[in-house]
Amino acid sequence: MKIQRIIPALLLAPLSLTSLLSCNGTSVDTIKAMESNYDNHNKTIELIGEFDAPSFTFSSGKSKTMAMNFVVKPHAISSEKFTAFSVILPVGTENNSVLFELPADQKNYTLKNFHVIDKNGEKTNLDTHTTFKMTGTVHYNELEKPEAERDKTNFNYKITDVTFEKD
């Protein structure tokens, strides 16, 4: 009787592990491609991961956008991370935006100071490490220069027209 239960469990274990390990490879591949070629220029991409605070923030309250980071992992139990930089979000309380709240007496910011409002209007604090499905259009700064002046190894990009929702 126990053998009848063990055999199916042994067969299902590798399948479960395989599906867990390959759950986010497409997002990782997309980021790797964005950092190594211009194939995604002016194309809409989709990534699954979580928003992270930018490396720095604006110094005045007049900025209308903020370049956020978006972190993806190859799979749920991985410590390896890939980051899409310059995910441009409007600052405010509208859908698909970021809200940065830093008390006047606080000098350093943490994830607790950032909230994102998804396409459904749901406000989420970044400190919860929520997974989102994000889409946006990739633009390479280098391709805006005349062809003779381009550095073919510079793959700096920005992602605009961003929409996102909880995954």
Side-chain angles (χ1 to χ4, degrees):
M1 188 107 142
K2 287 185 180 180
I3 290 177
Q4 291 174 342
R5 290 184 185 163
I6 292 174
I7 291 173
L10 289 174
L11 294 173
L12 288 176
L15 285 174
S16 299
L17 185 58
T18 300
S19 69
L20 178 63
L21 292 177
S22 63
C23 68
N24 205 16
T26 303
S27 292
V28 170
D29 292 344
T30 300
I31 289 178
K32 286 180 178 180
M34 288 174 14
E35 294 175 347
S36 63
N37 62 61
Y38 299 119
D39 292 347
N40 287 304
H41 183 61
N42 289 333
K43 291 185 180 172
T44 299
I45 58 151
E46 180 179 289
L47 301 173
I48 296 175
E50 64 183 62
F51 283 100
D52 195 8
S55 301
F56 59 90
T57 61
F58 50 85
S59 59
S60 74
K62 296 179 183 178
S63 296
K64 295 183 182 192
T65 62
M66 185 180 296
M68 299 294 291
N69 295 335
F70 195 79
V71 179
V72 302
K73 295 180 178 182
H75 51 81
I77 58 174
S78 176
S79 61
E80 188 176 26
K81 297 177 182 180
F82 296 85
T83 303
F85 300 98
S86 295
V87 177
I88 309 299
L89 295 179
V91 175
T93 57
E94 300 297 316
N95 293 0
N96 299 305
S97 66
V98 60
L99 184 60
F100 178 63
E101 300 173 310
L102 188 68
D105 61 338
Q106 186 177 331
K107 295 190 189 304
N108 298 321
Y109 63 87
T110 67
L111 286 179
K112 290 179 182 179
N113 300 111
F114 290 89
H115 294 83
V116 291
I117 295 104
D118 70 10
K119 74 178 195 175
N120 301 315
E122 188 173 341
K123 184 177 176 181
T124 305
N125 186 276
L126 294 190
D127 199 41
T128 62
H129 298 282
T130 304
T131 300
F132 293 94
K133 178 169 63 171
M134 186 265 301
T135 60
T137 305
V138 178
H139 303 280
Y140 290 93
N141 301 330
E142 202 65 25
L143 296 180
E144 295 174 8
K145 297 177 182 177
E147 192 167 350
E149 297 176 19
R150 293 180 189 165
D151 176 358
K152 295 185 186 331
T153 62
N154 181 357
F155 299 107
N156 289 331
Y157 58 85
K158 60 185 172 186
I159 302 172
T160 61
D161 305 318
V162 175
T163 61
F164 58 93
E165 65 183 324
K166 286 184 180 180
D167 186 46

